[in-house]
Amino acid sequence: MLEIGTKAPAFTLPDQNGETHSLSDYLGKKVILYFYPKDNTAGCTKQACGFAERYPQIQEEGAVVLGVSKDSVRSHKNFETKYNLPFTLLSDPEHQVIEAYDAWKEKKNYGKVYMGIVRTTYLIDEEGVIVKAMDKVKAADNPQQMLEELQGTKA
């Protein structure tokens, strides 16, 4: 988990349309940067749709949402289209950014141990500094938690 108060690691990744995005593109805005395991899975769909539902309020708070997984650009495009997602999905197949944000960890499933993405969300302020860091987030609750964080209604 990256420390609150530290500069968010810089990155440049392609989105669902193949266009590149850098964290520096968003200076002056708050960024909800969330890492999720896989497009079109139950939890990830719940989380993405939760952010989509709250996106107008998130924008009102001067923030954007960037979702990151190791899925391909094409997979992200299909995911965006299927659920009408209004925000950017970034593709990190080499998991360089995922690792830089400490979201690539050992996981266990039915006794099998493997490396994968642990659902992690960061809130980055207008200057590119991490102001909130959450790991092992619950997919269904995370969008509302982040909206409350932006609105300052959560201590």
Side-chain angles (χ1 to χ4, degrees):
M1 202 79 239
L2 299 182
E3 294 287 316
I4 290 172
T6 59
K7 193 93 171 133
F11 63 80
T12 301
L13 290 172
D15 70 6
Q16 67 269 35
N17 300 310
E19 295 168 21
T20 57
H21 292 254
S22 298
L23 183 58
S24 58
D25 298 343
Y26 298 96
L27 286 174
K29 287 187 176 223
K30 293 181 189 121
V31 176
I32 295 171
L33 181 65
Y34 82 98
F35 296 88
Y36 65 99
K38 192 151 181 50
D39 291 341
N40 290 303
T41 56
C44 297
T45 299
K46 229 179 240 163
Q47 188 176 22
C49 290
F51 278 123
E53 192 180 303
R54 292 163 182 82
Y55 202 62
Q57 294 126 295
I58 288 169
Q59 287 181 303
E60 279 172 28
E61 298 297 328
V64 296
V65 174
L66 302 176
V68 182
S69 81
K70 62 187 188 70
D71 291 309
S72 68
V73 167
R74 181 193 288 180
S75 175
H76 280 347
K77 186 65 185 173
N78 292 340
F79 190 43
E80 173 209 37
T81 304
K82 185 173 181 180
Y83 294 102
N84 200 24
L85 302 176
F87 55 86
T88 302
L89 298 173
L90 299 172
S91 176
D92 186 15
E94 307 296 317
H95 39 84
Q96 290 170 318
V97 176
I98 295 164
E99 288 182 42
Y101 280 84
D102 202 24
W104 187 255
K105 299 197 184 284
E106 191 176 272
K107 296 170 83 173
K108 288 186 176 107
N109 194 9
Y110 300 112
K112 187 177 152 219
V113 178
Y114 60 98
M115 294 300 288
I117 297 173
V118 173
R119 203 178 298 280
T120 306
T121 304
Y122 290 96
L123 179 58
I124 301 167
D125 74 8
E126 296 86 346
E127 282 85 50
V129 174
I130 296 169
V131 292
K132 180 77 178 176
M134 302 169 73
D135 65 351
K136 298 184 188 122
V137 298
K138 290 196 176 5
D141 301 340
N142 188 234
Q144 184 61 35
Q145 290 169 325
M146 295 313 291
L147 179 59
E148 289 171 5
E149 197 65 45
L150 286 170
Q151 293 171 332
T153 53
K154 194 169 184 196

